Amino acid sequence: MMQQITNYNDIDLLLVLASGDTVESWIIYAQTKSPLKIAARITAVINSQLYPYLQTGQLMGLLNGYLGAAEYEKLIGEFAEGSVGLNIATWVHTLIVGLVIIGNIVFFIQRRRLSSEV
């Protein structure tokens, strides 16, 4: 597959699948040597640090986390793991928010009981 590739000018599009800062490394290393087009599929955690590269045109595309996967699945008309993962993540985040609210309610009830006993 790579026999005809001799340098970055032979690559039409570099797709980086990453969960860390490797996208930035490709931008810094490869784009300084050639006008390489780079797109990335990343986890949502590093999404915000890559938006400047997208806005300046150093990244030509960015597909981030479950949301990006679900949007892509909707675009091509096939629902798969991205949509399922997004639904699960939504329920888990809702559960976490609910537990935080319950924890705060319990905390204030206990604090009120302790202050009334003194």
Side-chain angles (χ1 to χ4, degrees), residues 2 10-11 13 15 45-47 52 55 57 59 64 68 73 91 102 110 115:
M2 299 294 288
D10 296 331
I11 301 172
L13 174 69
L15 177 61
V45 175
I46 62 172
N47 181 32
Q55 292 169 341
L59 274 177
N64 56 13
E73 289 171 1
W91 282 107
I102 291 169
Q110 286 179 345
S115 65

Side-chain angles (χ1 to χ4, degrees), residues 27 31 50-60:
I27 291 170
Q31 278 191 337
L50 294 178
Y51 269 128
Y53 297 108
L54 186 63
Q55 292 169 341
T56 60
Q58 291 171 289
L59 274 177
M60 68 172 296

